[in-house]
Amino acid sequence: MLDFWIEFASTYSYLAAMRAEAVAERAGVRLRWRPFLLGPIFVAQGWTTSPFNLYPAKGRYMWRDMERLCARRGLALRRPDPFPQNSLLAARLAWAVPEARRAVFCRAVFHAEFAEGRDISNAEVLAGVLAGTALPPADLLAQARTDEVKAKLRQETEAARAAGVFGAPAFTASDGELFWGDDRFEQALDWARDRG
């Protein structure tokens, strides 16, 4: 098994999420989707926003890289405004959604944000995402606001930090080995498969 740490505001998490299940299935590795928040981890590093905003050259490169990679993979790309998006409600919803449907929901959120440029902090947008994936919007939005789900997201964010995660996407194998970035996905899968 491989833990798949994603942050909905992360461009490269979008790339990884849209291919994750097919690639993992071919590798014979089960993925565990673990949405978390990068914001608290960035704050602990002294950052107030994405490093792609803090360092303009890095940001320009990232957006051009995303254009190339999305074109190559046949994915639409539309820059969300603002960037990064506030992903709090989306992340809470991901933990309210039944685990068996989490991957479908996560991909739909990424599509709404990065393919359609929609605001994933907006509850109406997320209600539409839920409805589009045959999940009950009213029930899940209510559940996402419960103390239990809020605590779960805090726990997952702390678990990511404790595992050494500093960016997204990230992958951790059962032995704790950490891999960071969409471009390390195959290496992470090989590691997880080889160590059973």
Side-chain angles (χ1 to χ4, degrees):
M1 186 176 66
L2 192 66
D3 283 336
F4 179 30
W5 302 94
I6 55 168
E7 156 64 82
F8 287 115
S10 161
T11 51
Y12 291 104
S13 287
Y14 166 53
L15 287 178
M18 301 314 275
R19 69 190 187 109
E21 287 189 307
V23 175
E25 185 176 325
R26 283 195 300 272
V29 176
R30 188 171 81 80
L31 284 183
R32 182 166 55 170
W33 291 65
R34 297 187 72 175
F36 74 107
L37 297 175
L38 265 174
I41 293 171
F42 283 172
V43 167
Q45 297 177 69
W47 297 345
T48 57
T49 186
S50 166
F52 296 123
N53 289 344
L54 292 171
Y55 305 102
K58 187 173 188 169
R60 284 190 300 275
Y61 176 84
M62 179 274 292
W63 286 115
R64 182 62 190 128
D65 193 40
M66 286 293 296
E67 289 169 351
R68 289 190 303 258
L69 289 167
C70 285
R72 186 175 191 174
R73 296 181 190 183
L75 294 173
L77 178 64
R78 186 168 170 188
R79 292 188 197 188
D81 184 24
F83 175 82
Q85 293 275 296
N86 180 332
S87 60
L88 178 63
L89 182 56
R92 286 177 177 165
L93 272 170
W95 288 108
V97 166
E99 184 176 359
R101 304 282 294 149
R102 189 165 296 134
V104 170
F105 171 74
C106 290
R107 283 194 309 272
V109 171
F110 280 119
H111 181 83
E113 180 183 12
F114 289 110
E116 299 174 349
R118 299 172 74 198
D119 179 2
I120 63 162
S121 70
N122 185 307
E124 290 181 15
V125 168
L126 292 171
V129 168
L130 288 163
T133 55
L135 289 162
D139 293 347
L140 288 169
L141 281 163
Q143 191 177 342
R145 294 182 175 100
T146 63
D147 289 342
E148 179 183 0
V149 168
K150 291 176 182 180
K152 176 63 175 170
L153 179 57
R154 283 193 298 273
Q155 290 167 3
E156 288 296 310
T157 299
E158 175 54 27
R161 188 204 59 75
V165 173
F166 56 87
F171 311 90
T172 51
S174 58
D175 63 357
E177 193 74 15
L178 172 68
F179 299 84
W180 171 56
D182 173 64
D183 58 344
R184 295 295 184 268
F185 186 25
E186 283 80 2
Q187 186 181 0
L189 289 166
D190 289 346
W191 184 280
R193 185 189 58 235
D194 293 347
R195 284 153 183 80

